[in-house]
Amino acid sequence: MTVRTRFAPSPTGYLHIGGARTALYAWLQARHNGGQFILRIEDTDRERSTDAAVQAIIDGMAWLGLDHDEGPLFQTRRMDRYRDVAQRLLDAGNAYYAYESKDEIEAMRAAAMARGEKPRYSGAYREHNEPCRDDPNRVIRFRNPSSGTVVFDDAVKGRVEWNNAELDDLVIVRSDGFPTYNFAVVVDDIDMGITQVIRGDDHVNNTPRQINIYQALDAQVPAFAHLPMILGADGQKLSKRHGALGVMQYREAGYLPHALLNYLVRLGWSHGDQEIFSIHEMIDLFDIADVNQSASRFDLAKLGWLNQQYMKNDSPAEIAPELAWHLRRIGIDPAQGPDPADVIIALRDRVQTLKEMAQRAKIWYAPIEQWDDKSVAKHLRADGVAPLLQTAHAKFASLGEWSPQAIHVAIEELANDAGVGMGKIAQPLRVAITGTQVSPSIEHTIYLAGRDVALKRIGVAIERALA
RNA sequence: GCUCCCUUCGUCUAGUGGCCCAGGACACCGCCCUCUCAAGGCGGGAACACGAGUUCGAGUCUCGUAGGGAGCGCCA
């Protein structure tokens, strides 16, 4: 049987980090087994679902490279199907109409709580088999078995056993005629031939009642895998109010999709001591059964480290478009300066994100924004600096080939001839080119400025040194 | 309240009864390298929640305690 997994978000917001990991694991599980991965949009909550959110989810998945083989399928397009299945359940006596008002249900729950019991539906309609009639309170409830147990072997949690006595008769069709989540997922997963349901462990408690529905429908029960949550750095649950960022916000913050994927795959899963995984390796090595059972915290520092690993090891040409995207975001035209691939080579050892890289790259695309007074005072006002800079200016002006190597050689010669250390000449040049005393290696700093700009800035620095 | 789930360094984790006085990675600290900042190399501190039990032997199995989480919706 070919493995079929799915990712089924509800479009009520962006694709957040927890959802992204769930999607990744489901995708990996399908790819590892040569199966299919399906994207389904659970939009039965008409009040909270938006088209923008649907788009955000699709964009996020695309950016991460989690491609689906089928979908996106929308639940709202399947209303007739849910009604048919509900009718089938009704006909077979596995479901019934109920007419309690929301207030009555609320009272029922409160009373159960007061008795120290679990709040459950205990209405009379379960016994009565009331016919269908027009009533604003009319819902359809599933007739859950009242005895026995439900057992399932969760791929990550292990064997989970549940007493049917703990379960009540859940609503499967609401008074507005829409199916509820627990019903719609089951119908969908059956119709779509899902063999393995992979989702957040906030759904473990729903699983036994869903299994009962599968059984009432005579359907094959899929395998389940419930993933532990991802917590914030402080150990608190991630929520939109509390640090949960959308996947696309990670792009904006300067992370590479592969780095995010790598971070996510290691959050709750591992393969020995390996930290870096190519996509191919992830697919090859991943097995949902190896996923951890406990929640994990999101650690931005490690993501940063991973991101840098990818910036350092991927080919600069491959990352260049992503850097160009970041440059444009801060108002820089990448065409008005050095090749972004060269910028990557100069900066990848120094920053952890593309966003920082773009910020630092500004000096090569636009005039110096601000001179750092301390740097100027220390290096441009020093004794004997002006002649050194003048010599440098002359050397660069007559340099045959404008390359980091050639520039490096020129500076070394200069230092030797002047009988000074590299620092004595590199620092003033650095301040001349960047306005600060921190930048990549001096030859790259000068090279990336381009000969014209470099000479011009050194000229200005000489004036400052003489002033 | 009830049901279910979880618990190894600060964090992510390795570990499936002896290979573990617990290994790796991030972070942190120190040294080296060095034109700044980094990167890199080398080194360091740092954990089996607690208590019983099973066993010749327990991080690994069982029970209990504590702590954390989820669910108990006509939300998903």
Side-chain angles (χ1 to χ4, degrees):
Chain A
M1 184 173 55
T2 79
V3 170
R4 286 168 65 86
T5 66
R6 44 61 163 189
F7 177 53
S10 61
T12 55
Y14 44 64
L15 175 60
H16 59 84
I17 213 69
R21 189 188 58 168
T22 304
L24 171 63
Y25 283 13
W27 181 83
L28 249 16
Q29 184 67 1
R31 294 288 170 260
H32 176 80
N33 291 290
Q36 286 103 42
F37 175 63
I38 297 151
L39 177 60
R40 181 172 78 221
I41 304 293
E42 311 217 322
D43 55 351
T44 52
D45 183 350
R46 293 165 308 157
E47 316 222 322
R48 297 196 299 149
S49 299
T50 66
D51 289 346
V54 171
Q55 198 52 50
I57 289 164
I58 291 173
D59 290 347
M61 300 274 293
W63 182 67
L64 288 173
L66 303 180
D67 56 325
H68 47 268
D69 302 297
E70 290 172 31
L73 272 26
F74 292 85
Q75 290 189 320
T76 42
R77 311 248 172 90
R78 292 172 40 81
M79 290 302 136
D80 291 345
R81 175 63 180 154
Y82 304 128
R83 269 187 271 275
D84 286 352
V85 177
Q87 189 58 51
R88 229 181 94 194
L89 251 15
L90 244 12
D91 293 343
N94 287 319
Y96 57 91
Y97 291 103
Y99 300 91
E100 282 94 352
S101 68
K102 291 185 186 180
D103 287 347
E104 286 173 290
I105 300 288
E106 199 38 60
M108 218 179 266
R109 268 196 274 274
M113 284 277 246
R115 269 179 273 123
E117 289 167 14
K118 207 167 161 172
R120 353 181 9 250
Y121 174 80
S122 54
Y125 295 99
R126 176 182 169 98
E127 313 305 333
H128 287 170
N129 261 341
E130 201 83 3
C132 181
R133 60 175 147 87
D134 264 344
D135 187 313
N137 289 327
R138 191 215 336 160
V139 297
I140 300 176
R141 283 183 184 270
F142 175 67
R143 195 188 305 276
N144 198 81
S146 52
S147 62
T149 59
V150 183
V151 179
F152 63 98
D153 287 301
D154 192 283
V156 346
K157 304 261 175 217
R159 172 156 294 218
V160 179
E161 195 166 344
W162 222 280
N163 265 320
N164 269 322
E166 294 294 333
L167 273 21
D168 66 350
D169 292 353
L170 74 160
V171 170
I172 56 172
V173 176
R174 308 197 289 229
S175 53
D176 63 4
F178 271 71
T180 58
Y181 165 78
N182 278 300
F183 179 55
V185 260
V186 172
V187 176
D188 289 342
D189 286 337
I190 292 172
D191 289 352
M192 293 165 196
I194 302 302
T195 60
Q196 187 146 36
V197 172
I198 297 170
R199 68 216 325 185
D201 72 1
D202 45 335
H203 290 290
V204 232
N205 302 283
N206 290 324
T207 305
R209 46 191 5 147
Q210 289 178 13
I211 288 174
N212 284 330
I213 297 177
Y214 275 98
Q215 278 161 352
L217 255 15
D218 270 325
Q220 167 96 41
V221 179
F224 291 95
H226 287 97
L227 275 21
M229 322 187 38
I230 296 178
L231 273 17
D234 56 0
Q236 295 298 300
K237 182 180 177 172
L238 274 180
S239 66
K240 307 219 161 135
R241 299 172 295 292
H242 189 78
L245 298 181
V247 157
M248 294 313 264
Q249 286 172 281
Y250 284 94
R251 180 189 194 191
E252 288 163 17
Y255 298 98
L256 258 5
H258 190 171
L260 227 206
L261 252 18
N262 196 142
Y263 180 72
L264 255 16
V265 82
R266 277 288 283 101
L267 202 57
W269 174 85
S270 62
H271 181 259
D273 288 339
Q274 189 170 345
E275 296 287 348
I276 309 282
F277 296 85
S278 68
I279 302 294
H280 183 79
E281 285 175 308
M282 287 184 205
I283 291 173
D284 210 38
L285 300 169
F286 185 81
D287 185 338
I288 195 75
D290 296 333
V291 172
N292 277 172
Q293 349 194 24
S294 51
S296 40
R297 301 189 190 199
F298 193 87
D299 180 13
L300 208 57
K302 187 143 187 184
L303 207 212
W305 174 79
L306 268 169
N307 201 53
Q308 185 169 36
Q309 294 303 306
Y310 281 102
M311 291 198 295
K312 284 168 58 175
N313 297 318
D314 285 356
S315 85
E318 209 175 305
I319 310 172
E322 196 70 8
L323 175 61
W325 184 83
H326 281 278
L327 286 168
R328 276 183 232 104
R329 275 192 102 231
I330 55 172
I332 288 172
D333 176 2
Q336 302 304 308
D339 181 345
D342 285 338
V343 171
I344 290 166
I345 292 169
L347 282 170
R348 62 186 171 184
D349 284 340
R350 297 173 165 76
V351 295
Q352 293 198 319
T353 68
L354 257 15
K355 185 180 182 178
E356 294 171 75
M357 192 181 274
Q359 275 304 334
R360 295 230 206 162
K362 269 186 176 173
I363 48 163
W364 298 303
Y365 294 91
I368 293 173
E369 270 180 354
Q370 200 178 1
W371 290 80
D372 177 56
D373 293 339
K374 261 198 202 152
S375 304
V376 172
K378 184 166 178 193
H379 297 292
L380 294 189
R381 298 273 155 73
D383 291 338
V385 163
L388 276 178
L389 289 176
Q390 275 158 344
T391 315
H393 189 280
K395 263 185 176 303
F396 294 149
S398 62
L399 206 58
E401 173 199 278
W402 190 252
S403 71
Q405 295 73 19
I407 295 168
H408 180 79
V409 170
I411 296 174
E412 247 177 6
E413 282 173 9
L414 201 162
N416 280 337
D417 293 349
V420 299
M422 280 292 273
K424 276 274 183 279
I425 179 62
Q427 284 304 80
L429 280 172
R430 200 181 315 272
V431 178
I433 304 292
T434 70
T436 73
Q437 44 190 332
V438 176
S439 84
S441 69
I442 192 60
E443 61 265 29
H444 278 99
T445 301
I446 293 171
Y447 165 72
L448 289 171
R451 194 193 305 249
D452 292 348
V453 171
L455 292 178
K456 219 176 92 193
R457 290 189 188 175
I458 293 170
V460 170
I462 291 168
E463 284 168 32
R464 282 194 170 235
L466 294 173

